[in-house]
Amino acid sequence: MSHVLIVVDVQKDFCEGGSLAVAGGAATAARISELLAGDHGYDLVLATRDHHIDPGAHFSDHPDFVDSWPPHCVVGTDGVEFHDQLTFRDFAAVFDKGEYAAAYSGFEGKDVDGNSLQDWLSGHDADLVDVVGIATDYCVRATALDAAAAGFTTTVLLDYTAAVAPDRIETTHADWAAAGVATEGELPAPQ
């Protein structure tokens, strides 16, 4: 059995200066790097990335910021890359999601060999999954819910996340609690 950390969408477009920046995104990237410095205690560390080519109605010139968003993390742009403050790059696998449709959960992605995140975790005897990254109330939320639904013991490390709407995080907590997702720490204040 193995303990796995999933680093969700710590990309340039989701940090300050990016096309869909989340307040505190760069600081979150730096905190995750500190967590992963030296002997971090995880058996495996994975990452997910928004990786858009033509995601249809997910992109809009007049986004509602619920189902539609400004263009972000477009393949071939700098914004799709991991943020510079995320200095850890020794990922066992990276799961790209959302190329042709909206995708929030890392479990909707595939690695370079076409493996799903669920199959990859099962194939590596994962049982404990911790989730960190951006954004707490969207892609971290969805990834954690899917991890729990797939049978993994799942914990969100809130100190290593940044939320789009911190004032509505209670709803996300309630969703996690109902699904059996544990949380540790506290959501950092937006910067």
Side-chain angles (χ1 to χ4, degrees):
M1 296 300 178
S2 60
H3 192 181
V4 177
L5 180 71
I6 302 174
V7 179
V8 176
D9 298 2
V10 181
Q11 296 168 261
K12 291 181 179 181
D13 270 350
F14 294 140
C15 297
E16 293 79 357
S19 66
L20 192 53
V22 174
T28 297
R31 285 193 304 276
I32 293 169
S33 294
E34 290 171 11
L35 173 68
L36 293 172
D39 183 16
H40 49 71
Y42 288 100
D43 297 306
L44 299 164
V45 180
L46 311 176
T48 70
R49 290 188 302 198
D50 253 18
H51 200 249
H52 297 310
I53 295 172
D54 181 8
H58 185 61
F59 284 177
S60 174
D61 292 334
H62 306 286
D64 63 14
F65 296 94
V66 176
D67 296 312
S68 62
W69 305 88
H72 59 277
C73 301
V74 175
V75 173
T77 69
D78 195 46
V80 76
E81 302 300 328
F82 291 121
H83 193 271
D84 296 341
Q85 292 295 318
L86 181 65
T87 55
F88 181 91
R89 300 297 170 94
D90 192 22
F91 299 112
V94 175
F95 295 83
D96 290 328
K97 58 190 175 62
E99 291 183 343
Y100 296 101
Y104 295 92
S105 171
F107 284 78
E108 297 175 86
K110 302 281 184 192
D111 70 5
V112 69
D113 296 320
N115 299 306
S116 71
L117 179 53
Q118 182 171 345
D119 288 345
W120 198 98
L121 289 169
S122 295
H124 287 81
D125 295 323
D127 60 338
L128 302 174
V129 173
D130 290 350
V131 184
V132 299
I134 305 170
T136 317
D137 42 343
Y138 285 91
C139 295
V140 170
R141 174 189 174 278
T143 300
L145 289 172
D146 282 352
F152 302 105
T153 301
T154 306
T155 303
V156 176
L157 305 180
L158 291 171
D159 295 336
Y160 304 95
T161 68
V164 170
D167 57 324
R168 295 182 304 190
I169 203 68
E170 290 84 17
T171 302
T172 300
H173 279 275
D175 292 344
W176 285 334
V181 174
T183 59
E184 288 183 10
E186 294 187 25
L187 186 67
Q191 299 173 357

